[in-house]
Amino acid sequence: MSANHDLERRIADFYANEAPTRAPDRVLGSILDAIDITPQRRAIFRAPWRFPTLSRRAWLVLAAAALVAGAVMGAIGLGALRSDPVTDLIAPDPATLVWTQDALVQDWPAPVRPEPPSGAVVVPMAVGDDARWDSGERRWEPYEHPDPVGDVAPGGPAWIDIREVHLSAGGAVFTLKLADDPRPIPDPAARWIAYGVVLDTNGDGIADVRMGMDNLPEGGGHRAWRTDLGTGRTHAAAGPPYGSVRTTGEVPESIGLDTYYPDESALASSPDASLWYGLQPGEDTFTFYAWSSVIEAGRVVATDYAPDAGWLVTGSQPETTLVGPTWTLDTEFTRGNESLTLVQTVTFTTAGRVSIDAGCMTGEGAVVVEPDALRVRDIVVTDVPCGSGVAQLSARLMSVLTAGDLRYTLDTGLLELRAGTDVLLFQAQFEGPPS
């Protein structure tokens, strides 16, 4: 075998075994640049076509080039077929983002926020700084989540910027506190502004319900709507009573939602958007996020989410201790034809003292708190004139507190005192938010 043929064989073997699976980026870049700048001209005269006469070495070089080109086109093809559900979103038709009368019965035209395939984080909310104790539910309301101010798109309006989200879990009342208000409220044909929340009702990290409110033409108030994202069905109501009822023909139907648009009332003291939502069956346990958005000239120009990523859930309640609340005991009794209620109170201090208002007497003494027992002693009392019915109830409370074996149980805002077979149940009352 000649040296020349041996070289050709080794070149062929090299390209057969070492062909790259992907061409370097510079190769693809140079190809695309060449395609872009190379003039494409039609030939005026076309010569008869024939196979050119090529040497074996030339054929080997062309074969190697074909392998490289195949790798390049394969990379392009795979890249074109790959789809990222988080980033590859289809932009809505701008024509659908322009407010018309048809929008009165439709969902917000911009798409729901995409979520990562691996699932978004769940962020626990905290009891609010201005929370109030709900004695009926025995918990602090509302929960709150602060959101950074200034995280809207550059130049985004402050009345889209959510600074805090509140949730009262008892009735699913959502409040979006904004950095500013949009007053005067514009016509939606010029500036279409919406506020709302999105719920995940089954914990799979996918949005199930989107609800919100947006502005109507001047004098029309605002519109409220709720969309089942699984079925695509939207319930909407335009104008007063702001979402609590919609009318289909002559039959009123509740949409399970009521709303307050920011600064719609002249009495409003702060720029808030609020939604009162009636939870549907199976929605008792949910996570959510808040959102706000504005459309101008058929384009979404600013959107804010709170939180920017993830879902919110109610957090833990502060532990209720003996010291802190005023423990109240409400007892009904009759006096003649009257039905009355006597409110008795017991308050514990960090200094080991207890104050008592029994109705017919008030007093103070020392108290020793053990894991499941109380020892009250050295009580000094002051009598207060009262009727016989109140006197009996006062005597009962004092006999329990001074019993030698006084047991207690503390559970989420309820204090049970037991002395023998006599049991008194007190409820916690607070004057201010938890520290």
Side-chain angles (χ1 to χ4, degrees):
M1 180 179 292
S2 68
N4 191 41
H5 287 173
D6 184 64
L7 175 62
E8 291 173 353
R9 181 179 59 79
R10 284 188 285 116
I11 291 175
D13 290 342
F14 172 82
Y15 282 115
N17 296 324
E18 303 295 333
T21 59
R22 183 182 189 276
D25 293 341
R26 64 179 183 277
V27 175
L28 179 58
S30 63
I31 291 173
L32 296 177
D33 290 342
I35 292 173
D36 184 56
I37 64 175
T38 301
Q40 305 295 313
R41 296 184 299 173
R42 294 180 180 273
I44 299 176
F45 301 100
R46 186 180 302 276
W49 185 85
R50 65 184 180 186
F51 282 104
T53 301
L54 298 176
S55 68
R56 184 175 180 182
R57 178 178 299 176
W59 277 113
L60 292 172
V61 173
L62 286 176
L67 287 172
V68 173
V72 172
M73 296 310 293
I76 295 173
L78 290 175
L81 290 174
R82 180 181 178 274
S83 175
D84 186 340
V86 176
T87 58
D88 296 347
L89 298 176
I90 299 176
D93 181 355
T96 66
L97 301 186
V98 177
W99 191 92
T100 66
Q101 288 291 325
D102 293 339
L104 292 175
V105 295
Q106 297 173 356
D107 191 2
W108 183 246
V112 178
R113 183 183 75 179
E115 304 299 333
S118 58
V121 298
V122 176
V123 181
M125 304 176 75
V127 173
D129 295 335
D130 57 350
R132 295 184 179 181
W133 177 255
D134 186 329
S135 58
E137 297 291 337
R138 302 202 306 275
R139 63 185 171 199
W140 290 96
E141 295 282 11
Y143 293 90
E144 68 180 17
H145 171 77
D147 191 60
V149 175
D151 60 342
V152 188
W159 33 264
I160 287 296
D161 199 346
I162 303 171
R163 61 179 177 83
E164 199 166 83
V165 180
H166 283 193
L167 169 64
S168 294
V173 180
F174 306 90
T175 301
L176 285 61
K177 293 186 174 293
L178 309 171
D180 202 353
D181 63 77
R183 187 177 292 183
I185 299 174
D187 190 292
R191 183 176 287 162
W192 192 1
I193 309 170
Y195 305 93
V197 296
V198 171
L199 306 186
D200 170 14
T201 60
N202 56 14
D204 62 358
I206 299 174
D208 297 305
V209 177
R210 176 163 68 167
M211 66 189 81
M213 67 191 90
D214 49 61
N215 50 322
L216 291 176
E218 184 177 358
H222 72 270
R223 181 180 73 107
W225 46 266
R226 172 177 59 88
T227 298
D228 183 327
L229 296 171
T231 64
R233 186 183 181 192
T234 296
H235 289 79
Y242 301 115
S244 58
V245 173
R246 73 183 179 98
T247 302
T248 303
E250 297 181 356
V251 181
E253 180 182 350
S254 171
I255 69 171
L257 177 68
D258 203 354
T259 51
Y260 172 78
Y261 200 82
D263 275 356
E264 191 168 53
S265 168
L267 301 178
S269 59
S270 62
D272 297 344
S274 297
L275 303 95
W276 294 264
Y277 177 54
L279 293 170
Q280 306 299 308
E283 295 180 349
D284 296 336
T285 302
F286 65 87
T287 57
F288 78 101
Y289 65 80
W291 62 275
S292 59
S293 187
V294 57
I295 293 173
E296 295 180 5
R299 187 172 64 91
V300 177
V301 297
T303 299
D304 193 19
Y305 299 107
D308 293 326
W311 301 85
L312 296 175
V313 67
T314 53
S316 59
Q317 287 275 318
E319 182 181 359
T320 306
T321 61
L322 281 174
V323 177
T326 297
W327 296 100
T328 64
L329 173 64
D330 297 352
T331 307
E332 294 184 357
F333 68 100
T334 58
R335 186 174 60 187
N337 295 326
E338 294 181 299
S339 179
L340 304 174
T341 300
L342 173 64
V343 179
Q344 299 170 301
T345 65
V346 177
T347 306
F348 300 91
T349 72
T350 56
R353 306 289 294 174
V354 58
S355 297
I356 306 163
D357 184 347
C360 282
M361 60 187 73
T362 60
E364 183 175 325
V367 61
V368 176
V369 180
E370 299 176 357
D372 62 350
L374 298 178
R375 303 285 181 258
V376 180
R377 61 179 185 270
D378 301 331
I379 297 180
V380 177
V381 299
T382 301
D383 292 331
V384 178
C386 60
S388 59
V390 176
Q392 292 177 359
L393 295 175
S394 295
R396 179 189 178 194
L397 173 59
M398 296 303 296
S399 67
V400 169
L401 289 175
T402 56
D405 185 19
L406 176 58
R407 302 288 172 175
Y408 79 96
T409 302
L410 191 61
D411 180 29
T412 319
L414 291 179
L415 172 63
E416 183 181 272
L417 298 181
R418 303 183 304 277
T421 59
D422 206 352
V423 178
L424 300 178
L425 189 62
F426 294 77
Q427 285 193 344
Q429 299 289 343
F430 295 85
E431 295 184 359
S435 57

